[in-house]
Amino acid sequence: MAKKQFKAESRRILDLMIDSIYTHKEIFLRELISNASDAIDKLYFLSLTDDKVGKGRDDFEIRISLDKDKRLFTISDNGIGMTRDELDANLGTIAKSGTLAFKTEHDTGDAVDIIGQFGVGFYSSFMVSDNVKVLSRAYGSEEAWLWESAGRDGYTISAAEKEDCGTVITLEIKENTEDEQYDRFLNQHTVSSLVKQYSDYIRYPIRMQTQHTRAKKGDPGDTETVTEDETLNSMIPLWKKAKSEIKEGEYNEFYKSKFHDFEDPLLTIHFSGEGVVSYDALLYIPKNPPYDFYAKEYQRGLQLYSSGVMIMEKCADLLPDYFGFVSGLVDSSDLSLNISRELLQHDRQLKTIAVTLKKRIKTELKKLMDNDREKYEAFYKSFRLPIKYGLYSDYGMNKDFLSDLVLYHSAAENKLVSLKEYVDAMKEDQKHIYYACAETVERAMKLPQTERVRDQGYDILCMTDDVDEFAVRMLGTYMEKTFKSVSDADLNLVSDEEKRAQERAHEEHKDILAALKEALSGKVKDVRLSDRLKSSPVCLTSDGPLSIEMEQVLASMPVSDGSVKAERVLEINPAHPVFGVLGTLSADDARVKKYADLLYDQALLIEGLPIEDPVAFSNAICELMV
Ligand code: ADP
């Protein structure tokens, strides 16, 4: 029979599995059980509306059998099964197509990493087996098919016999090696405890014939071996158990198997809601964003169950965008099993649940921030962006709700602080929350605009994310303190006396300032004497609502035509020796134009912005030096 080849991506996954140095090879078991349970779910769901299925809740089962002599591990289910085409499509190609390509492009392609990120499912069989057979008959079909593969060199599909619908997967378990005792997967005690460890909550019985030795009846001196049909799992969904009865390890295993993560979650939130609608919720916050979290295709949402039966895999209405990183499930007996997706969207009960969920998530995050800052900062590193976008989006509708959760780098403390911590530490005479935007914290701290603010003994929040300034402007105030950028035109940090002196200086130098402005026309809106600089000769600030940083962010957006511009102002430090020189020039001196360009370019460089003509800049400096 002609061998079919695996699709390129599947082949790569397979290679990784076959040569896997992954130490948790036992996960193949939970993956196969999870597939079997999904297959049964599908048929059970069908049976609710279709009498022809002819099976009730209690008729479904997953069965494991072990044959030590032939080294065979078999797992079967009486679920929905697969047609020939489905065998070909589902087992010949990796379901999450594109993921591997993405992964190897962006990462080392480490096997452990890949298994972790995508939960390779069925292919994990090849970690423990050299030969895999899948016998399946789809519900409603008369035919059964056998899929078979020994790994790398492809697979075959041939006609077969099977009495009822469902799937039987048979693994020929590898021989022991120095590093791995494959034999353990043929040992009933090991398999039974692995099922308990990883798959206890599966809602259908996982049965296995087990053998026990016991004292012989009537002859207690002798023993006999009895074979028993044993159900290995408790079948109680984890979220239905009392919190006190669940160990952290159980929560973590459940999370990893159910939501395809390799790492333990960062935070687990388990609670029940009562009132208008009662439900159980089990929510997880991952340590790291899923690989596609920032892609357009990313689907947020929670699994939705009605009395233990999953009715939706990703219910987006349960989570706001800014908490889109949360995974988990909600189970409510108040939701109808047959409710359609369209109806769900308008479901009042669902909305009620969503509101409590988001409040609860926030409370838990706040608690983490207060009680375990290190862990919160790890969370924040991964998921600060959705929260910051949450401040800003929907016209700031959620800003008050979310503003307690943000942290910024404090220049004075040199660590992340919350807005509350900033405000609590403010000096008595300080009116504003000062912030500086730049590409990095180091850059922000070095901005000349910050000199005066720091001189006053005021702390500055360094903001480095694109969304930061937009979010902060949306916030406007926090605890009645307004936000103020160190680059705002009206920083107003000077005394009345200084102000008068400045006005006089401005009057005195108005001709040269006007000449500089003229020389820079088209580039800046104005040239002014600065009241915020100490040691630097110049800096750029902006008038109006748009800062230079915001202009940069907007310009980098794909839809931008570059037409939105900040109103730039070149500020010159009147106390700087350079200004001493400028002050002696007459307005029509040829050097005015040259110096204006030089000062403007310097200001751009300090801001971290490109200069228009680097060659001219370099020549001008050389000219001065020689
Ligand atoms: P995943 O389960 O994450 O989709 P797998 O590689 O484990 O990925 O499985 C691929 C697909 O093969 C499943 O989505 C399912 O459609 C099908 N499949 C696997 N095992 C079974 C089974 N026991 N019964 C029916 N279909 C199955």
Side-chain angles (χ1 to χ4, degrees):
M1 192 183 339
K3 275 220 162 79
K4 288 193 159 202
Q5 293 308 307
F6 288 101
K7 296 270 157 36
E9 278 185 358
S10 315
R11 172 66 204 262
R12 304 234 299 275
I13 288 276
L14 257 178
D15 281 344
L16 286 169
M17 289 300 113
I18 294 166
D19 305 328
S20 177
I21 42 133
Y22 191 57
T23 45
H24 298 289
K25 297 196 194 306
E26 69 272 11
I27 61 146
F28 86 93
L29 186 57
R30 93 173 174 213
E31 298 290 326
L32 295 184
I33 289 175
S34 155
N35 281 350
S37 167
D38 290 348
I40 295 178
D41 266 344
K42 284 178 195 158
L43 192 58
Y44 174 52
F45 200 71
L46 213 62
S47 76
L48 296 173
T49 52
D50 185 353
D51 291 339
K52 284 203 292 294
V53 174
K55 281 197 181 82
R57 183 83 168 74
D58 299 335
D59 299 319
F60 292 106
E61 68 164 9
I62 297 165
R63 194 163 268 285
I64 293 174
S65 64
L66 309 171
D67 185 332
K68 263 198 179 127
D69 300 332
K70 294 193 182 129
R71 303 191 67 80
L72 297 180
F73 175 100
T74 307
I75 174 166
S76 59
D77 66 72
N78 50 358
I80 193 108
M82 283 176 275
T83 62
R84 186 184 202 284
D85 286 348
E86 280 165 348
L87 280 168
D88 195 25
N90 295 342
L91 307 185
T93 345
I94 186 144
K96 301 129 201 141
S97 100
T99 50
L100 186 60
F102 178 90
K103 192 65 196 162
T104 32
E105 228 173 81
H106 291 78
D107 219 323
T108 54
D110 179 12
V112 175
D113 228 27
I114 291 183
I115 295 170
Q117 298 260 328
F118 309 122
V120 287
F122 170 73
Y123 283 121
S124 57
S125 315
F126 287 97
M127 289 200 294
V128 299
S129 167
D130 294 324
N131 187 292
V132 178
K133 289 192 181 75
V134 182
L135 171 65
S136 198
R137 177 168 159 184
Y139 169 71
S141 165
E142 299 296 311
E143 305 165 336
W145 296 92
L146 179 69
W147 181 100
E148 185 169 3
S149 171
R152 292 193 172 86
D153 45 304
Y155 58 92
T156 57
I157 299 179
S158 51
E161 297 285 323
K162 189 175 183 313
E163 226 168 71
D164 197 6
C165 70
T167 302
V168 182
I169 299 179
T170 308
L171 312 181
E172 218 170 89
I173 298 294
K174 290 185 186 182
E175 295 290 341
N176 284 347
T177 64
E178 238 169 68
D179 305 324
E180 187 68 52
Q181 295 289 311
Y182 292 101
D183 275 359
R184 62 196 175 109
F185 303 124
L186 296 165
N187 177 301
Q188 68 173 34
H189 295 294
T190 312
V191 169
S192 149
S193 64
L194 285 174
V195 170
K196 285 194 183 76
Q197 183 185 348
Y198 286 114
S199 312
D200 188 64
Y201 58 86
I202 294 284
R203 288 181 302 121
Y204 307 101
I206 304 167
R207 299 202 173 104
M208 184 166 72
Q209 295 227 316
T210 54
Q211 273 154 7
H212 304 275
T213 320
R214 67 174 184 204
K216 208 168 185 174
K217 273 195 189 124
D219 183 3
D222 205 356
T223 56
E224 63 178 352
T225 304
V226 287
T227 306
E228 242 177 5
D229 209 23
E230 206 185 321
T231 299
L232 308 178
N233 54 331
S234 78
M235 291 189 278
I236 302 172
L238 188 65
W239 60 93
K240 286 280 183 201
K241 289 188 189 169
K243 260 170 105 162
S244 55
E245 280 172 27
I246 309 174
K247 295 191 202 75
E248 196 188 336
E250 274 181 275
Y251 277 129
N252 294 352
E253 285 309 327
F254 179 77
Y255 165 72
K256 286 188 280 193
S257 68
K258 201 93 179 159
F259 302 103
H260 300 298
D261 198 346
F262 165 62
E263 291 175 301
D264 287 341
L266 184 108
L267 196 69
T268 303
I269 308 171
H270 182 196
F271 68 100
S272 350
E274 258 151 49
V276 197
V277 45
S278 59
Y279 60 91
D280 298 293
L282 178 52
L283 311 178
Y284 292 101
I285 296 179
K287 281 203 174 110
N288 289 298
Y291 74 99
D292 57 349
F293 186 62
Y294 291 106
K296 237 191 6 244
E297 299 74 36
Y298 180 75
Q299 275 191 310
R300 69 187 155 83
L302 301 176
Q303 292 184 346
L304 184 61
Y305 288 74
S306 158
S307 308
V309 179
M310 196 205 287
I311 52 176
M312 205 193 262
E313 173 79 35
K314 291 253 179 201
C315 182
D317 299 322
L318 282 171
L319 283 179
D321 271 329
Y322 50 80
F323 287 153
F325 48 81
V326 176
S327 61
L329 56 89
V330 168
D331 187 356
S332 169
S333 50
D334 294 337
L335 292 169
S336 151
L337 199 56
N338 296 318
I339 192 162
S340 74
R341 269 155 211 236
E342 293 70 45
L343 278 177
L344 260 179
Q345 274 183 1
H346 305 290
D347 194 89
R348 290 258 312 273
Q349 291 167 320
L350 208 63
K351 288 210 170 88
T352 316
I353 298 177
V355 170
T356 359
L357 289 190
K358 80 172 185 196
K359 283 190 190 149
R360 184 62 182 249
I361 295 168
K362 177 184 163 181
T363 310
E364 295 294 329
L365 284 174
K366 189 72 186 38
K367 247 200 266 173
L368 194 65
M369 183 201 256
D370 294 341
N371 303 331
D372 189 346
R373 186 53 81 89
E374 204 178 315
K375 202 164 166 187
Y376 186 79
E377 286 186 15
F379 156 78
Y380 195 64
K381 192 161 170 252
S382 294
F383 299 114
R384 64 183 192 283
L385 288 181
I387 293 191
K388 288 176 175 179
Y389 279 107
L391 287 175
Y392 170 70
S393 55
D394 295 324
Y395 307 100
M397 206 168 81
N398 304 299
K399 60 183 185 179
D400 295 330
F401 181 69
L402 293 172
S403 57
D404 298 334
L405 295 179
V406 285
L407 302 176
Y408 296 102
H409 191 97
S410 141
E413 306 266 334
N414 199 18
K415 63 173 193 195
L416 291 171
V417 297
S418 69
L419 292 173
K420 170 130 195 338
E421 285 159 352
Y422 180 97
V423 171
D424 286 347
M426 273 169 68
K427 289 180 72 179
E428 221 166 280
D429 64 334
Q430 184 178 347
K431 293 197 186 65
H432 304 291
I433 301 173
Y434 291 100
Y435 66 90
C437 298
E439 224 154 84
T440 61
V441 167
E442 293 70 33
R443 258 207 141 114
M445 302 221 290
K446 279 196 188 128
L447 282 175
Q449 290 91 316
T450 62
E451 287 182 323
R452 188 75 190 219
V453 183
R454 283 207 253 185
D455 245 26
Q456 303 285 112
Y458 301 157
D459 191 8
I460 297 170
L461 298 175
C462 303
M463 308 205 165
T464 53
D465 286 321
D466 279 357
V467 64
D468 278 336
E469 196 166 16
F470 294 89
V472 155
R473 297 220 177 183
M474 186 59 87
L475 262 177
T477 59
Y478 183 84
M479 287 168 71
E480 290 167 22
K481 305 287 179 196
T482 46
F483 285 90
K484 195 139 203 77
S485 163
V486 295
S487 303
D488 267 359
D490 56 339
L491 204 51
N492 273 337
L493 280 179
V494 290
S495 64
D496 288 348
E497 196 181 323
E498 280 174 299
K499 207 176 234 161
R500 278 193 296 278
Q502 208 181 358
E503 276 160 13
R504 280 198 302 276
H506 216 278
E507 184 56 34
E508 190 183 324
H509 298 292
K510 71 172 192 290
D511 292 343
I512 184 71
L513 289 172
L516 289 167
K517 180 178 164 185
E518 172 67 28
L520 293 173
S521 88
K523 291 176 179 164
V524 301
K525 181 196 164 204
D526 202 5
V527 178
R528 288 180 202 148
L529 293 181
S530 183
D531 61 7
R532 77 187 84 212
L533 294 174
K534 264 182 62 193
S535 54
S536 293
V538 283
C539 72
L540 273 184
T541 61
S542 60
D543 271 356
L546 196 68
S547 74
I548 296 170
E549 287 74 21
M550 292 164 94
E551 172 198 299
Q552 297 295 306
V553 174
L554 292 175
S556 69
M557 293 190 172
V559 291
S560 159
D561 60 359
S563 63
V564 187
K565 292 276 182 218
E567 297 180 315
R568 298 179 182 201
V569 174
L570 180 69
E571 292 196 10
I572 304 183
N573 181 355
H576 198 277
V578 157
F579 189 71
V581 176
L582 283 175
T584 62
L585 300 181
S586 66
D588 55 0
D589 193 307
R591 283 172 292 177
V592 168
K593 169 75 181 144
K594 219 172 245 169
Y595 289 176
D597 284 340
L598 260 176
L599 289 172
Y600 180 62
D601 281 351
Q602 285 186 61
L604 285 174
L605 287 173
I606 292 170
E607 274 289 312
L609 296 171
I611 51 182
E612 239 167 66
D613 189 347
V615 177
F617 178 69
S618 162
N619 287 343
I621 289 185
C622 290
E623 207 175 293
L624 284 176
M625 288 172 76
V626 179

